[in-house]
Amino acid sequence: MEALQSGADVFFVLVGAILVFAMHSGFAFLEVGTVRKKNQVNALVKILSDFGMSTVAYFFIGYGVAYGVSFLASAAEISGMTGELFAANGYDLVKFFFLLTFAAAIPAIISGGIAERAKFGSQLLATAVIVGLVYPFFEGMVWGDTLNFQGMMEAMFGAPFHDFAGSIVVHAVGGWLALGAVVLLGARIGRYRKDGSAVGIPPSNIPFLALGSWILCIGWFGFNVMSAQAVDGASGLVAMNSLLAMVGGLLSALLVGRNDPGFVHNGALAGLVAVCAGSDIMHPVGALAVGAVAGVIFVKLFVVCQEKWKIDDVLGVWPLHGLCGLWGGIAAGIFGLEALWGLGGVTFLSQLVGSLIGAGFALVAGFIVYGVIRQFLGIRLDEEEEFRGADLSIHKISAYPEEDLTMK
């Protein structure tokens, strides 16, 4: 029975890892459908290359930073066949795979904000630094024992900081890192007129954008439900809360965004981002409310960010992941309370302070990482390369090469 349980846990976490890995294709197609045709190849190559760089950085450095574990030992040892450090059936290896897909989501999130004008090599370097050092440091604070962060939170505010599936650890950190990168990059050429008014750049392909959203929504149930990391921890409550938060986000975005397809498909994601932290402790009605608020946050702040503050965040990753993630972390301390039909075990102050620490940490880190790289290597394509498009400037081929030949 013990061997069966161990094998079931390995399979459970592996399925979760595969589902979240599949979400990276969702990130790619969401970006492909949003950027202009001349930058679609770059979006696809960038997301996949970032995943490769994330894997290497997290395997050799990041996982050890977060959890103090190194896989530089014999295959027999790391697969649990000998010794007591690693669990049986290679459980720790599939756990690494699962948590890697979370870590690699950080550069995938950032990619959408810096699209159409970022240098390819500089972004790969930023990915290595972020996934190897920056993200795992905060990951270890919340999901490990780095700096005794959780012990201090419980001592000061009556409960540890609760982030079941990463509203703060993954999404807010990714979104606030992206804000620093986007601000340092500056707006795309032609995005704003001399008088400061915005020039509309519509999505290039709504079906691709929608496909990206659908893939992300489906994979998200692995993101949330499999965060239990063991079969006996799987909960239908997490699945139901994820579903209702997703629906709440898309319906509120549909209403506030006046039927705009971009807002609707991203509104569903906003609800899922927000529910991650408290999906295991909220009542479904609370999850619906959290998702609905997140949908409004995304639509309203996307418009303000682009048109009033002149922050050219192409996919709106700061409002979507940064702000909705921040809301989700705080919301777990509201709708997770027993007074609102939640399971309890959280306090509002712990959630508020922990969420703000995560956002602040990521914002500062974003400015430091991208600021240093900008100083020494540069982070933006030159004007001619940006005008030509990242596809031809970096990858020497467009998304529609047959059309290019026909035009010639």
Side-chain angles (χ1 to χ4, degrees), residues 109-110 112-113 171 174-175 178 182 298 313-323:
I109 289 168
I110 296 170
H171 298 287
V182 168
F298 172 70
D313 178 353
V314 180
L315 268 67
V317 298
W318 178 57
L320 178 61
H321 296 275
L323 294 178

Side-chain angles (χ1 to χ4, degrees), residues 20 24 27 51 54 100-110 170-171 174 223:
V20 185
H24 288 261
F27 283 120
F51 189 89
S54 297
L100 160 69
T101 59
F102 280 53
I106 301 294
I109 289 168
I110 296 170
V170 178
H171 298 287
F223 199 100

Side-chain angles (χ1 to χ4, degrees), residues 28-106:
F29 278 100
L30 192 69
E31 185 171 333
V32 167
T34 304
V35 299
R36 288 168 286 187
K37 285 185 177 181
K38 62 182 180 179
N39 296 298
Q40 290 180 330
V41 171
N42 180 246
L44 293 169
V45 175
K46 187 170 47 169
I47 296 292
L48 188 59
S49 300
D50 276 340
F51 189 89
M53 181 63 76
S54 297
T55 302
V56 173
Y58 199 63
F59 181 82
F60 286 104
I61 304 172
Y63 197 74
V65 171
Y67 303 106
V69 174
S70 171
F71 293 111
L72 300 181
S74 70
E77 185 176 348
I78 63 176
S79 61
M81 297 174 64
T82 61
E84 298 180 354
L85 183 60
F86 295 92
N89 296 86
Y91 174 81
D92 290 288
L93 300 178
V94 293
K95 180 180 177 181
F96 164 82
F97 183 15
F98 182 64
L99 291 174
L100 160 69
T101 59
F102 280 53
I106 301 294

Side-chain angles (χ1 to χ4, degrees), residues 95-395:
K95 180 180 177 181
F96 164 82
F97 183 15
F98 182 64
L99 291 174
L100 160 69
T101 59
F102 280 53
I106 301 294
I109 289 168
I110 296 170
S111 175
I114 64 175
E116 300 201 315
R117 75 272 201 208
K119 280 188 172 182
F120 185 66
S122 295
Q123 174 55 20
L124 280 178
L125 176 59
T127 293
V129 175
I130 288 168
V131 178
L133 297 171
V134 176
Y135 166 77
F137 181 78
F138 187 73
E139 176 190 15
M141 289 170 59
V142 177
W143 292 339
D145 56 10
T146 302
L147 302 180
N148 191 33
F149 176 73
Q150 292 290 28
M152 291 189 293
M153 293 295 288
E154 185 171 10
M156 288 188 290
F157 305 114
F161 174 63
H162 187 89
D163 191 2
F164 179 68
S167 287
I168 300 298
V169 174
V170 178
H171 298 287
V173 166
W176 286 87
L177 279 165
L179 178 60
V182 168
V183 170
L184 289 172
L185 267 174
R188 289 167 289 176
I189 296 172
R191 181 67 177 92
Y192 300 103
R193 300 183 181 91
K194 290 182 179 180
D195 64 2
S197 60
V199 176
I201 301 178
S204 62
N205 193 307
I206 294 296
F208 276 161
L209 185 157
L211 175 63
S213 176
W214 274 102
I215 293 171
L216 285 164
C217 287
I218 293 167
W220 221 295
F221 288 88
F223 199 100
N224 284 1
V225 175
M226 271 72 169
S227 285
Q229 298 184 27
V231 171
D232 62 4
S235 170
L237 180 65
V238 176
M240 179 61 75
N241 285 342
S242 301
L243 175 65
L244 287 182
M246 179 190 76
V247 169
L250 75 87
L251 290 178
S252 65
L254 174 68
L255 178 64
V256 178
R258 300 180 180 181
N259 305 326
D260 182 284
F263 285 147
V264 172
H265 287 91
N266 280 287
L269 305 181
L272 286 163
V273 165
V275 81
C276 286
S279 57
D280 61 327
I281 58 172
M282 293 180 185
H283 187 278
V285 175
L288 180 66
V290 169
V293 172
V296 175
I297 289 173
F298 172 70
V299 173
K300 293 295 186 182
L301 269 297
F302 180 88
V303 175
V304 170
C305 175
Q306 299 281 341
E307 298 186 4
K308 185 175 181 180
W309 295 338
K310 308 295 184 295
I311 299 173
D312 189 15
D313 178 353
V314 180
L315 268 67
V317 298
W318 178 57
L320 178 61
H321 296 275
L323 294 178
C324 292
L326 182 62
W327 157 241
I330 297 170
I334 301 171
F335 294 96
L337 298 174
E338 292 183 31
L340 293 177
W341 295 357
L343 297 183
V346 292
T347 66
F348 175 74
L349 276 178
S350 181
Q351 293 306 118
L352 175 64
V353 173
S355 298
L356 292 175
I357 288 174
F361 167 80
L363 180 62
V364 172
F367 275 103
I368 292 174
V369 171
Y370 285 94
V372 171
I373 295 175
R374 184 176 74 165
Q375 181 68 28
F376 291 98
L377 297 176
I379 57 175
R380 181 164 180 158
L381 298 174
D382 65 37
E383 188 171 336
E384 182 180 346
E385 290 172 330
E386 184 179 341
F387 180 78
R388 188 188 307 126
D391 292 358
L392 294 177
S393 297
I394 299 172
H395 309 290

